[in-house]
Amino acid sequence: MMTKANDIQHPNHIADESRLMLTRRHFFGCTASGVGTAALASMLGSDVVGADDTSTSTGIPDPNGLLKQYHNPPKAKRVIYLFQSGAPSQQELFDHKPLLREHEGKELRDFVDMNQRVTGMTAGQSKFPLAGARWKFDKFGESGIEMCSELIPHIGSLADDMCLIRSMQTEAINHDPAITFFQTGHQLAGRPSIGSWMHYGLGSMNENLPTFIAMVSRGTGRPNCQPLYDRLWGSGFLPSTYAGVKLMSIGDPVLYLSNPAGLDATARRRMLDDLAKLNEEKLDEFGDPEIHTRIQQYELAYRMQTSVPELTDFSDEPQHVLDSYGPDVTKRGTYANNCLLARRLAERDVRFIQLFHMGWDQHFTMPKQLPGQCRDTDQPTAALVNDLKRLGLLEDTLVVWGGEFGRTSYCQGTLNEQTYGRDHHPRCFSLWMAGAGIKPGTTYGATDEFCYNINENPVHVHDLHATIMQQMGIDHEKLTFRFQGRYFRLTDVHGHVVNDILT
Protein backbone atom coordinates (compact mmCIF):
# COMPACT_ATOMS: atom_id res chain seq x y z
CA MET A 1 0.00 0.00 0.00
CA MET A 2 1.41 3.39 -1.01
CA THR A 3 1.60 6.21 1.52
CA LYS A 4 1.55 9.84 0.43
CA ALA A 5 4.22 12.09 1.79
CA ASN A 6 1.72 14.44 3.36
CA ASP A 7 0.12 11.51 5.22
CA ILE A 8 3.30 10.77 7.18
CA GLN A 9 2.94 11.85 10.83
CA HIS A 10 6.11 13.68 11.88
CA PRO A 11 7.02 13.09 15.56
CA ASN A 12 6.79 16.81 16.29
CA HIS A 13 3.36 16.92 14.69
CA ILE A 14 2.24 14.00 16.88
CA ALA A 15 3.48 15.78 19.98
CA ASP A 16 1.67 18.97 18.98
CA GLU A 17 -1.53 17.03 18.39
CA SER A 18 -1.16 15.34 21.78
CA ARG A 19 -0.95 18.74 23.46
CA LEU A 20 -4.04 19.92 21.62
CA MET A 21 -5.92 16.97 23.06
CA LEU A 22 -5.22 18.04 26.64
CA THR A 23 -8.47 18.09 28.51
CA ARG A 24 -9.67 20.83 30.78
CA ARG A 25 -8.93 18.57 33.75
CA HIS A 26 -5.34 18.08 32.55
CA PHE A 27 -4.92 21.83 32.14
CA PHE A 28 -6.01 22.60 35.67
CA GLY A 29 -3.94 19.71 36.95
CA CYS A 30 -0.85 21.27 35.37
CA THR A 31 -1.59 24.67 36.89
CA ALA A 32 -2.87 23.55 40.29
CA SER A 33 0.59 23.56 41.85
CA GLY A 34 1.72 26.71 40.10
CA VAL A 35 0.24 30.20 39.87
CA GLY A 36 -3.12 29.18 41.42
CA THR A 37 -1.58 27.87 44.62
CA ALA A 38 0.76 30.84 44.92
CA ALA A 39 -2.15 33.24 44.50
CA LEU A 40 -4.22 31.39 47.10
CA ALA A 41 -1.38 31.45 49.61
CA SER A 42 -0.92 35.17 48.94
CA MET A 43 -4.59 35.88 49.55
CA LEU A 44 -4.93 33.77 52.69
CA GLY A 45 -1.55 34.54 54.24
CA SER A 46 0.33 32.36 56.68
CA ASP A 47 -2.83 30.70 58.00
CA VAL A 48 -2.66 28.36 55.01
CA VAL A 49 -1.16 25.07 56.17
CA GLY A 50 2.38 24.89 54.84
CA ALA A 51 2.38 28.43 53.45
CA ASP A 52 5.23 29.57 55.69
CA ASP A 53 8.52 28.11 54.50
CA THR A 54 10.59 29.70 57.25
CA SER A 55 12.72 27.20 59.13
CA THR A 56 12.51 27.40 62.93
CA SER A 57 13.53 25.34 65.93
CA THR A 58 10.24 23.49 65.52
CA GLY A 59 10.77 23.02 61.80
CA ILE A 60 10.19 19.72 60.02
CA PRO A 61 13.31 18.72 58.09
CA ASP A 62 11.62 16.46 55.54
CA PRO A 63 10.81 18.40 52.36
CA ASN A 64 8.00 16.06 51.32
CA GLY A 65 5.68 16.86 54.22
CA LEU A 66 3.09 19.59 53.78
CA LEU A 67 3.92 21.32 57.07
CA LYS A 68 7.06 23.41 57.25
CA GLN A 69 6.63 23.96 60.98
CA TYR A 70 4.89 21.98 63.67
CA HIS A 71 1.71 23.56 64.93
CA ASN A 72 2.86 22.85 68.48
CA PRO A 73 5.97 21.26 70.04
CA PRO A 74 5.72 17.53 69.29
CA LYS A 75 6.10 14.90 72.00
CA ALA A 76 6.04 11.99 69.54
CA LYS A 77 8.10 11.30 66.44
CA ARG A 78 6.21 8.16 65.55
CA VAL A 79 3.07 6.16 66.39
CA ILE A 80 2.68 2.41 66.90
CA TYR A 81 -1.04 1.63 66.80
CA LEU A 82 -1.90 -1.89 67.99
CA PHE A 83 -5.42 -2.23 66.62
CA GLN A 84 -7.34 -5.18 68.09
CA SER A 85 -9.89 -5.96 65.37
CA GLY A 86 -13.19 -7.44 66.51
CA ALA A 87 -13.51 -5.45 69.77
CA PRO A 88 -11.93 -6.79 72.99
CA SER A 89 -14.32 -7.15 75.90
CA GLN A 90 -13.61 -4.41 78.42
CA GLN A 91 -15.49 -6.29 81.19
CA GLU A 92 -13.04 -9.21 80.95
CA LEU A 93 -9.84 -7.19 80.61
CA PHE A 94 -9.83 -3.58 81.83
CA ASP A 95 -13.10 -2.54 83.48
CA HIS A 96 -13.89 -4.82 86.41
CA LYS A 97 -17.61 -4.93 87.28
CA PRO A 98 -18.22 -7.29 90.25
CA LEU A 99 -21.97 -6.60 90.16
CA LEU A 100 -22.23 -8.38 86.82
CA ARG A 101 -21.11 -11.58 88.48
CA GLU A 102 -23.18 -10.92 91.60
CA HIS A 103 -26.34 -10.46 89.52
CA GLU A 104 -25.51 -13.15 86.98
CA GLY A 105 -28.56 -14.07 84.88
CA LYS A 106 -30.73 -11.20 86.03
CA GLU A 107 -32.23 -8.80 83.49
CA LEU A 108 -30.10 -5.79 82.55
CA ARG A 109 -33.25 -3.70 82.09
CA ASP A 110 -34.01 -4.16 85.80
CA PHE A 111 -30.91 -2.13 86.65
CA VAL A 112 -30.46 0.39 83.83
CA ASP A 113 -32.61 2.17 81.30
CA MET A 114 -31.78 0.26 78.13
CA ASN A 115 -31.89 3.26 75.82
CA GLN A 116 -28.91 2.25 73.68
CA ARG A 117 -29.48 0.56 70.35
CA VAL A 118 -28.65 -3.10 69.89
CA THR A 119 -27.57 -5.05 66.84
CA GLY A 120 -29.83 -7.23 64.76
CA MET A 121 -28.13 -10.24 66.34
CA THR A 122 -29.69 -9.60 69.77
CA ALA A 123 -32.62 -7.31 68.96
CA GLY A 124 -34.92 -10.35 68.89
CA GLN A 125 -33.85 -11.73 72.26
CA SER A 126 -36.64 -11.87 74.82
CA LYS A 127 -34.15 -11.62 77.67
CA PHE A 128 -30.93 -9.71 78.25
CA PRO A 129 -29.28 -11.61 81.12
CA LEU A 130 -26.27 -10.08 82.85
CA ALA A 131 -23.02 -12.02 82.43
CA GLY A 132 -20.05 -11.56 84.74
CA ALA A 133 -16.39 -12.11 83.93
CA ARG A 134 -15.01 -15.53 84.89
CA TRP A 135 -11.44 -14.37 85.43
CA LYS A 136 -9.60 -12.75 88.34
CA PHE A 137 -8.68 -9.05 88.48
CA ASP A 138 -5.78 -7.57 90.45
CA LYS A 139 -4.17 -4.18 90.94
CA PHE A 140 -0.87 -3.68 89.13
CA GLY A 141 2.16 -1.50 89.78
CA GLU A 142 2.54 1.43 92.10
CA SER A 143 -0.39 3.07 90.34
CA GLY A 144 -2.70 0.22 91.34
CA ILE A 145 -4.56 0.06 88.03
CA GLU A 146 -6.95 -2.89 88.10
CA MET A 147 -6.77 -5.31 85.18
CA CYS A 148 -7.34 -9.00 84.56
CA SER A 149 -4.39 -10.82 86.07
CA GLU A 150 -5.28 -14.19 84.55
CA LEU A 151 -5.70 -13.15 80.92
CA ILE A 152 -3.33 -10.17 80.47
CA PRO A 153 -0.70 -10.29 83.24
CA HIS A 154 2.04 -8.95 80.97
CA ILE A 155 -0.04 -5.99 79.82
CA GLY A 156 -0.94 -5.51 83.47
CA SER A 157 2.77 -5.14 84.24
CA LEU A 158 2.72 -2.00 82.07
CA ALA A 159 0.30 -0.26 84.46
CA ASP A 160 2.85 2.36 85.51
CA ASP A 161 3.61 3.21 81.87
CA MET A 162 0.08 3.52 80.48
CA CYS A 163 -2.96 5.72 80.64
CA LEU A 164 -6.00 3.45 80.62
CA ILE A 165 -9.06 5.20 79.17
CA ARG A 166 -12.23 3.47 80.34
CA SER A 167 -14.63 5.94 78.74
CA MET A 168 -14.13 5.55 75.00
CA GLN A 169 -17.23 5.86 72.87
CA THR A 170 -18.01 5.59 69.18
CA GLU A 171 -20.99 5.87 66.83
CA ALA A 172 -20.87 2.72 64.72
CA ILE A 173 -22.32 -0.55 66.00
CA ASN A 174 -21.11 -2.95 63.28
CA HIS A 175 -17.54 -3.93 62.59
CA ASP A 176 -16.75 -2.54 59.15
CA PRO A 177 -18.07 1.00 59.68
CA ALA A 178 -16.65 1.02 63.21
CA ILE A 179 -13.15 0.03 62.09
CA THR A 180 -13.38 2.45 59.17
CA PHE A 181 -14.39 5.18 61.62
CA PHE A 182 -11.36 4.53 63.82
CA GLN A 183 -9.01 4.54 60.84
CA THR A 184 -10.43 7.46 58.84
CA GLY A 185 -12.71 9.50 61.09
CA HIS A 186 -15.74 8.55 59.00
CA GLN A 187 -17.92 5.44 58.83
CA LEU A 188 -18.09 5.35 55.02
CA ALA A 189 -15.08 4.23 53.05
CA GLY A 190 -13.18 6.69 50.88
CA ARG A 191 -11.37 9.02 53.26
CA PRO A 192 -7.66 8.96 54.13
CA SER A 193 -6.52 6.79 57.01
CA ILE A 194 -4.87 8.33 60.06
CA GLY A 195 -1.42 7.13 58.96
CA SER A 196 -1.92 8.75 55.56
CA TRP A 197 -2.80 12.05 57.22
CA MET A 198 0.44 11.82 59.24
CA HIS A 199 2.47 11.17 56.10
CA TYR A 200 0.73 13.98 54.24
CA GLY A 201 1.36 16.49 57.00
CA LEU A 202 4.77 15.49 58.31
CA GLY A 203 6.50 13.60 55.52
CA SER A 204 9.07 10.84 55.93
CA MET A 205 11.96 10.34 58.32
CA ASN A 206 13.48 7.41 56.40
CA GLU A 207 14.10 7.45 52.65
CA ASN A 208 14.61 3.68 52.44
CA LEU A 209 11.35 2.52 54.02
CA PRO A 210 7.71 3.59 53.64
CA THR A 211 6.47 6.31 55.98
CA PHE A 212 3.35 4.34 56.88
CA ILE A 213 3.44 0.55 57.29
CA ALA A 214 0.58 -1.83 58.14
CA MET A 215 0.77 -5.45 59.26
CA VAL A 216 -2.07 -7.94 59.77
CA SER A 217 -2.16 -11.05 61.96
CA ARG A 218 -4.94 -13.55 62.54
CA GLY A 219 -5.71 -14.51 66.14
CA THR A 220 -6.36 -17.94 67.62
CA GLY A 221 -9.44 -16.70 69.48
CA ARG A 222 -11.72 -16.59 66.47
CA PRO A 223 -9.56 -16.95 63.35
CA ASN A 224 -12.40 -16.92 60.82
CA CYS A 225 -13.76 -13.51 61.73
CA GLN A 226 -14.46 -10.32 59.81
CA PRO A 227 -12.02 -9.51 56.98
CA LEU A 228 -9.83 -6.43 56.86
CA TYR A 229 -9.49 -4.41 53.67
CA ASP A 230 -6.48 -2.56 52.27
CA ARG A 231 -8.52 0.65 52.21
CA LEU A 232 -8.15 0.76 56.02
CA TRP A 233 -4.57 1.92 55.49
CA GLY A 234 -5.32 3.64 52.19
CA SER A 235 -4.90 7.28 51.24
CA GLY A 236 -8.52 7.93 50.23
CA PHE A 237 -8.69 11.15 48.23
CA LEU A 238 -5.09 12.08 49.08
CA PRO A 239 -2.52 11.23 46.40
CA SER A 240 -1.72 7.54 46.64
CA THR A 241 1.89 8.21 47.63
CA TYR A 242 0.48 8.69 51.16
CA ALA A 243 -1.09 5.22 51.36
CA GLY A 244 0.23 2.68 53.84
CA VAL A 245 2.36 -0.22 52.63
CA LYS A 246 1.34 -3.66 53.87
CA LEU A 247 4.07 -6.06 54.96
CA MET A 248 3.07 -9.54 53.81
CA SER A 249 3.26 -12.68 55.95
CA ILE A 250 4.24 -14.99 53.09
CA GLY A 251 6.56 -14.56 50.11
CA ASP A 252 8.19 -11.17 49.64
CA PRO A 253 7.54 -8.93 52.65
CA VAL A 254 6.44 -6.31 50.11
CA LEU A 255 4.72 -7.40 46.90
CA TYR A 256 6.97 -7.59 43.81
CA LEU A 257 10.04 -6.56 45.82
CA SER A 258 12.29 -9.18 44.24
CA ASN A 259 13.64 -8.80 40.72
CA PRO A 260 11.89 -10.95 38.12
CA ALA A 261 13.75 -14.03 36.96
CA GLY A 262 16.55 -13.08 34.59
CA LEU A 263 16.70 -9.43 35.67
CA ASP A 264 19.67 -8.42 37.81
CA ALA A 265 20.06 -5.22 39.86
CA THR A 266 21.97 -3.40 37.12
CA ALA A 267 19.33 -4.11 34.49
CA ARG A 268 16.58 -3.10 36.91
CA ARG A 269 18.36 0.20 37.60
CA ARG A 270 18.63 0.95 33.86
CA MET A 271 14.98 0.06 33.36
CA LEU A 272 13.90 2.34 36.23
CA ASP A 273 16.00 5.22 34.89
CA ASP A 274 14.42 4.92 31.45
CA LEU A 275 10.96 4.53 32.93
CA ALA A 276 11.48 7.61 35.13
CA LYS A 277 12.33 9.70 32.06
CA LEU A 278 9.12 8.60 30.33
CA ASN A 279 7.07 9.28 33.45
CA GLU A 280 8.67 12.71 33.89
CA GLU A 281 7.70 13.61 30.33
CA LYS A 282 4.11 12.65 31.09
CA LEU A 283 4.24 14.52 34.39
CA ASP A 284 5.37 17.69 32.58
CA GLU A 285 2.65 17.19 30.00
CA PHE A 286 -0.33 16.35 32.23
CA GLY A 287 0.63 17.45 35.74
CA ASP A 288 -1.07 14.39 37.24
CA PRO A 289 0.20 13.88 40.83
CA GLU A 290 -0.31 10.13 40.44
CA ILE A 291 2.51 10.09 37.87
CA HIS A 292 4.78 11.68 40.47
CA THR A 293 3.62 9.01 42.93
CA ARG A 294 4.53 6.30 40.44
CA ILE A 295 8.05 7.67 40.04
CA GLN A 296 8.52 7.87 43.81
CA GLN A 297 7.17 4.39 44.43
CA TYR A 298 9.43 2.78 41.83
CA GLU A 299 12.45 4.42 43.44
CA LEU A 300 11.36 3.48 46.97
CA ALA A 301 10.82 -0.12 45.89
CA TYR A 302 14.35 -0.19 44.50
CA ARG A 303 15.81 1.08 47.79
CA MET A 304 13.64 -1.32 49.77
CA GLN A 305 15.31 -4.26 48.06
CA THR A 306 18.15 -3.65 50.49
CA SER A 307 16.37 -2.17 53.51
CA VAL A 308 13.47 -4.65 53.85
CA PRO A 309 15.51 -7.91 53.97
CA GLU A 310 17.71 -6.28 56.64
CA LEU A 311 14.59 -5.22 58.54
CA THR A 312 13.07 -8.69 58.61
CA ASP A 313 16.30 -10.52 59.50
CA PHE A 314 16.21 -11.12 63.26
CA SER A 315 19.66 -12.75 63.43
CA ASP A 316 21.10 -9.65 65.09
CA GLU A 317 18.57 -9.78 67.94
CA PRO A 318 19.85 -11.14 71.28
CA GLN A 319 18.18 -14.36 72.38
CA HIS A 320 16.79 -12.75 75.54
CA VAL A 321 15.02 -10.16 73.40
CA LEU A 322 13.51 -12.83 71.16
CA ASP A 323 12.42 -14.80 74.22
CA SER A 324 10.69 -11.74 75.69
CA TYR A 325 8.26 -11.65 72.74
CA GLY A 326 7.20 -15.26 73.25
CA PRO A 327 7.45 -18.50 71.27
CA ASP A 328 5.81 -17.18 68.10
CA VAL A 329 8.24 -14.32 67.49
CA THR A 330 10.08 -16.01 64.61
CA LYS A 331 6.88 -17.16 62.86
CA ARG A 332 6.06 -14.71 60.09
CA GLY A 333 2.58 -13.31 60.18
CA THR A 334 2.07 -13.75 63.92
CA TYR A 335 1.29 -10.86 66.25
CA ALA A 336 4.54 -11.50 68.14
CA ASN A 337 6.59 -11.34 64.94
CA ASN A 338 4.83 -8.13 63.91
CA CYS A 339 5.48 -6.57 67.34
CA LEU A 340 9.21 -7.11 66.98
CA LEU A 341 9.05 -5.76 63.43
CA ALA A 342 7.25 -2.72 64.83
CA ARG A 343 10.10 -2.06 67.23
CA ARG A 344 12.65 -2.44 64.44
CA LEU A 345 10.63 -0.07 62.26
CA ALA A 346 10.51 2.43 65.12
CA GLU A 347 14.30 2.24 65.38
CA ARG A 348 14.47 3.08 61.68
CA ASP A 349 12.18 6.10 62.12
CA VAL A 350 9.12 4.87 60.27
CA ARG A 351 6.55 7.45 61.24
CA PHE A 352 3.31 5.44 61.49
CA ILE A 353 3.26 1.71 62.23
CA GLN A 354 -0.05 -0.09 62.54
CA LEU A 355 -0.65 -3.67 63.58
CA PHE A 356 -4.09 -5.18 63.01
CA HIS A 357 -4.80 -8.34 65.02
CA MET A 358 -7.99 -10.15 64.08
CA GLY A 359 -10.19 -12.44 66.17
CA TRP A 360 -11.57 -10.46 69.13
CA ASP A 361 -15.25 -10.94 68.21
CA GLN A 362 -16.46 -13.32 70.94
CA HIS A 363 -20.24 -13.53 70.51
CA PHE A 364 -20.98 -16.99 71.93
CA THR A 365 -18.05 -18.92 73.40
CA MET A 366 -15.98 -16.34 75.22
CA PRO A 367 -14.51 -18.72 77.85
CA LYS A 368 -13.08 -20.82 75.04
CA GLN A 369 -12.01 -18.09 72.59
CA LEU A 370 -10.79 -15.18 74.71
CA PRO A 371 -7.85 -16.91 76.45
CA GLY A 372 -6.27 -17.81 73.10
CA GLN A 373 -6.67 -14.28 71.82
CA CYS A 374 -5.01 -12.93 74.96
CA ARG A 375 -2.14 -15.41 74.64
CA ASP A 376 -1.52 -14.07 71.14
CA THR A 377 -1.18 -10.49 72.28
CA ASP A 378 -0.35 -10.21 75.99
CA GLN A 379 3.35 -11.08 76.12
CA PRO A 380 4.33 -9.55 72.75
CA THR A 381 2.59 -6.26 73.58
CA ALA A 382 4.43 -5.93 76.87
CA ALA A 383 7.72 -6.94 75.23
CA LEU A 384 7.27 -4.23 72.61
CA VAL A 385 6.68 -1.48 75.18
CA ASN A 386 9.55 -2.69 77.37
CA ASP A 387 11.83 -2.93 74.35
CA LEU A 388 11.01 0.65 73.39
CA LYS A 389 11.84 1.70 76.97
CA ARG A 390 15.12 -0.22 76.91
CA LEU A 391 16.20 1.58 73.75
CA GLY A 392 15.01 5.01 74.88
CA LEU A 393 12.36 5.07 72.16
CA LEU A 394 9.23 5.16 74.32
CA GLU A 395 9.92 8.81 75.14
CA ASP A 396 9.06 9.83 71.58
CA THR A 397 6.93 6.87 70.44
CA LEU A 398 3.18 6.94 71.05
CA VAL A 399 1.75 3.44 71.58
CA VAL A 400 -2.02 2.95 71.24
CA TRP A 401 -3.86 -0.34 72.03
CA GLY A 402 -7.59 -0.87 71.43
CA GLY A 403 -10.42 -2.05 69.19
CA GLU A 404 -13.37 -0.52 67.38
CA PHE A 405 -16.05 -0.64 70.11
CA GLY A 406 -16.92 -2.46 73.34
CA ARG A 407 -19.02 -5.47 74.32
CA THR A 408 -22.41 -5.74 76.01
CA SER A 409 -22.78 -6.61 79.68
CA TYR A 410 -25.67 -8.90 78.79
CA CYS A 411 -25.17 -12.30 77.23
CA GLN A 412 -25.84 -12.95 73.57
CA GLY A 413 -27.53 -16.30 73.16
CA THR A 414 -27.53 -18.92 75.90
CA LEU A 415 -25.98 -18.12 79.27
CA ASN A 416 -24.69 -20.84 81.56
CA GLU A 417 -21.78 -21.39 83.91
CA GLN A 418 -19.60 -22.91 81.19
CA THR A 419 -20.10 -20.48 78.34
CA TYR A 420 -21.47 -17.10 77.33
CA GLY A 421 -20.80 -14.34 74.78
CA ARG A 422 -21.20 -10.61 74.30
CA ASP A 423 -22.63 -8.50 71.49
CA HIS A 424 -21.36 -5.11 70.24
CA HIS A 425 -21.64 -2.05 72.49
CA PRO A 426 -20.35 1.26 71.08
CA ARG A 427 -21.45 3.35 74.06
CA CYS A 428 -18.47 2.61 76.33
CA PHE A 429 -15.24 0.63 76.16
CA SER A 430 -11.56 0.74 77.10
CA LEU A 431 -8.37 1.70 75.27
CA TRP A 432 -4.89 2.47 76.54
CA MET A 433 -1.98 4.64 75.45
CA ALA A 434 1.65 4.88 76.52
CA GLY A 435 4.76 6.93 75.83
CA ALA A 436 5.38 10.30 74.16
CA GLY A 437 3.87 12.66 76.71
CA ILE A 438 0.99 10.44 77.90
CA LYS A 439 0.53 10.57 81.70
CA PRO A 440 1.84 7.21 82.94
CA GLY A 441 0.19 5.15 85.63
CA THR A 442 -3.22 6.79 85.25
CA THR A 443 -6.81 5.93 84.43
CA TYR A 444 -9.23 8.30 82.76
CA GLY A 445 -13.00 8.21 82.62
CA ALA A 446 -15.41 5.76 84.21
CA THR A 447 -18.47 3.71 83.35
CA ASP A 448 -21.45 2.87 85.56
CA GLU A 449 -21.46 -0.23 87.75
CA PHE A 450 -22.97 -2.32 84.94
CA CYS A 451 -20.65 -0.97 82.21
CA TYR A 452 -23.57 0.34 80.18
CA ASN A 453 -23.11 4.13 80.24
CA ILE A 454 -20.19 6.48 80.78
CA ASN A 455 -20.28 8.25 84.13
CA GLU A 456 -17.42 10.68 83.63
CA ASN A 457 -15.02 12.07 81.00
CA PRO A 458 -16.27 10.52 77.74
CA VAL A 459 -13.65 10.28 74.98
CA HIS A 460 -14.95 10.15 71.41
CA VAL A 461 -13.04 8.67 68.46
CA HIS A 462 -12.52 12.20 67.13
CA ASP A 463 -11.05 13.19 70.50
CA LEU A 464 -8.61 10.30 70.30
CA HIS A 465 -7.54 11.36 66.80
CA ALA A 466 -7.13 14.98 67.90
CA THR A 467 -4.97 13.86 70.83
CA ILE A 468 -2.75 11.63 68.71
CA MET A 469 -2.22 14.47 66.24
CA GLN A 470 -1.48 16.89 69.09
CA GLN A 471 1.31 14.62 70.33
CA MET A 472 2.74 14.52 66.81
CA GLY A 473 2.87 18.33 66.71
CA ILE A 474 -0.26 18.79 64.56
CA ASP A 475 -3.30 20.93 65.28
CA HIS A 476 -6.11 18.67 64.07
CA GLU A 477 -8.16 21.68 62.96
CA LYS A 478 -5.40 23.03 60.70
CA LEU A 479 -4.26 19.98 58.75
CA THR A 480 -6.73 19.93 55.87
CA PHE A 481 -7.03 18.83 52.24
CA ARG A 482 -9.33 20.37 49.66
CA PHE A 483 -11.42 17.80 47.80
CA GLN A 484 -14.55 18.30 45.70
CA GLY A 485 -14.90 21.89 46.82
CA ARG A 486 -14.55 21.29 50.54
CA TYR A 487 -11.68 21.26 53.04
CA PHE A 488 -11.53 17.90 54.80
CA ARG A 489 -9.65 16.88 57.94
CA LEU A 490 -9.27 13.66 59.92
CA THR A 491 -11.59 14.86 62.69
CA ASP A 492 -14.15 16.34 60.27
CA VAL A 493 -15.73 19.22 62.22
CA HIS A 494 -15.38 17.56 65.63
CA GLY A 495 -12.80 16.51 68.18
CA HIS A 496 -11.10 17.94 71.26
CA VAL A 497 -7.62 17.19 72.56
CA VAL A 498 -7.85 15.24 75.84
CA ASN A 499 -5.39 17.44 77.71
CA ASP A 500 -6.04 15.72 81.05
CA ILE A 501 -4.11 12.64 79.94
CA LEU A 502 -1.08 14.60 78.67
CA THR A 503 1.99 15.58 80.66
Side-chain angles (χ1 to χ4, degrees), residues 32-51:
S33 59
V35 177
T37 301
L40 180 64
S42 175
M43 287 188 293
L44 298 182
S46 60
D47 287 339
V48 178
V49 173

Side-chain angles (χ1 to χ4, degrees), residues 36-113:
T37 301
L40 180 64
S42 175
M43 287 188 293
L44 298 182
S46 60
D47 287 339
V48 178
V49 173
D52 186 355
D53 291 337
T54 306
S55 178
T56 70
S57 59
T58 59
I60 300 171
D62 185 82
N64 295 318
L66 176 68
L67 301 180
K68 304 305 178 185
Q69 299 179 66
Y70 292 106
H71 294 137
N72 51 73
K75 295 291 184 69
K77 290 175 62 178
R78 64 192 74 81
V79 175
I80 299 178
Y81 195 155
L82 307 173
F83 191 84
Q84 311 302 318
S85 175
S89 173
Q90 71 275 18
Q91 297 93 333
E92 269 67 30
L93 303 178
F94 301 110
D95 201 358
H96 189 206
K97 300 298 180 184
L99 285 183
L100 294 181
R101 190 63 168 155
E102 182 179 331
H103 296 291
E104 180 94 16
K106 295 180 181 178
E107 280 293 312
L108 174 61
R109 59 168 62 94
D110 292 339
F111 298 94
V112 300
D113 180 12

Side-chain angles (χ1 to χ4, degrees), residues 178-445:
I179 296 174
T180 304
F181 193 30
F182 256 95
Q183 302 313 308
T184 70
H186 199 262
Q187 294 185 47
L188 299 179
R191 298 199 184 187
S193 59
I194 182 172
S196 295
W197 280 110
M198 296 296 178
H199 186 181
Y200 165 66
L202 300 176
S204 176
M205 298 187 293
N206 185 328
E207 66 177 11
N208 296 320
L209 287 168
T211 304
F212 173 22
I213 288 181
M215 292 173 274
V216 177
S217 52
R218 188 178 292 273
T220 57
R222 189 182 172 192
N224 298 317
C225 55
Q226 293 77 21
L228 296 174
Y229 303 99
D230 285 10
R231 60 174 170 76
L232 294 172
W233 47 91
S235 58
F237 47 68
L238 292 175
S240 57
T241 188
Y242 300 113
V245 173
K246 181 181 178 182
L247 290 189
M248 311 300 292
S249 59
I250 57 174
D252 283 343
V254 177
L255 289 175
Y256 312 117
L257 191 64
S258 299
N259 290 327
L263 184 72
D264 60 20
T266 302
R268 184 184 180 105
R269 182 67 265 171
R270 288 200 308 267
M271 180 270 291
L272 289 176
D273 289 341
D274 291 341
L275 187 59
K277 291 177 182 177
L278 293 173
N279 281 325
E280 285 166 0
E281 288 181 6
K282 288 297 179 183
L283 181 61
D284 291 339
E285 184 176 350
F286 292 103
D288 186 347
E290 289 303 308
I291 299 175
H292 184 252
T293 292
R294 189 180 305 156
I295 296 170
Q296 288 183 313
Q297 295 301 81
Y298 280 136
E299 290 301 319
L300 177 59
Y302 182 78
R303 297 192 298 272
M304 284 166 53
Q305 287 188 309
T306 300
S307 62
V308 169
E310 184 270 337
L311 166 73
T312 56
D313 181 4
F314 293 173
S315 62
D316 59 344
E317 294 288 347
Q319 189 60 45
H320 73 273
V321 171
L322 294 174
D323 292 341
S324 71
Y325 284 83
D328 293 334
V329 67
T330 57
K331 299 177 184 177
R332 283 186 61 188
T334 62
Y335 182 81
N337 185 269
N338 289 347
C339 278
L340 182 51
L341 280 172
R343 193 224 73 202
R344 293 170 69 88
L345 288 167
E347 284 183 290
R348 289 155 178 79
D349 277 336
V350 172
R351 193 175 292 282
F352 203 92
I353 305 154
Q354 189 152 24
L355 277 60
F356 292 84
H357 189 61
M358 304 164 66
W360 287 98
D361 195 24
Q362 280 82 46
H363 279 272
F364 297 106
T365 55
M366 184 168 287
K368 178 181 178 181
Q369 295 177 342
L370 188 60
Q373 199 71 11
C374 290
R375 280 194 300 271
D376 294 339
T377 57
D378 181 44
Q379 184 175 350
T381 297
L384 170 59
V385 174
N386 288 325
D387 225 357
L388 293 171
K389 287 174 61 179
R390 176 180 65 87
L391 297 169
L393 290 169
L394 190 60
E395 296 177 2
D396 56 11
T397 302
L398 179 60
V399 179
V400 184
W401 190 104
E404 65 267 32
F405 41 59
R407 314 299 303 195
T408 58
S409 291
Y410 64 80
C411 175
Q412 177 176 347
T414 303
L415 169 67
N416 57 51
E417 190 59 35
Q418 288 72 41
T419 191
Y420 65 100
R422 302 191 189 277
D423 199 4
H424 310 162
H425 189 62
R427 180 63 178 178
C428 57
F429 57 106
S430 299
L431 174 149
W432 61 265
M433 307 169 74
I438 299 297
K439 283 184 181 177
T442 59
T443 60
Y444 187 77

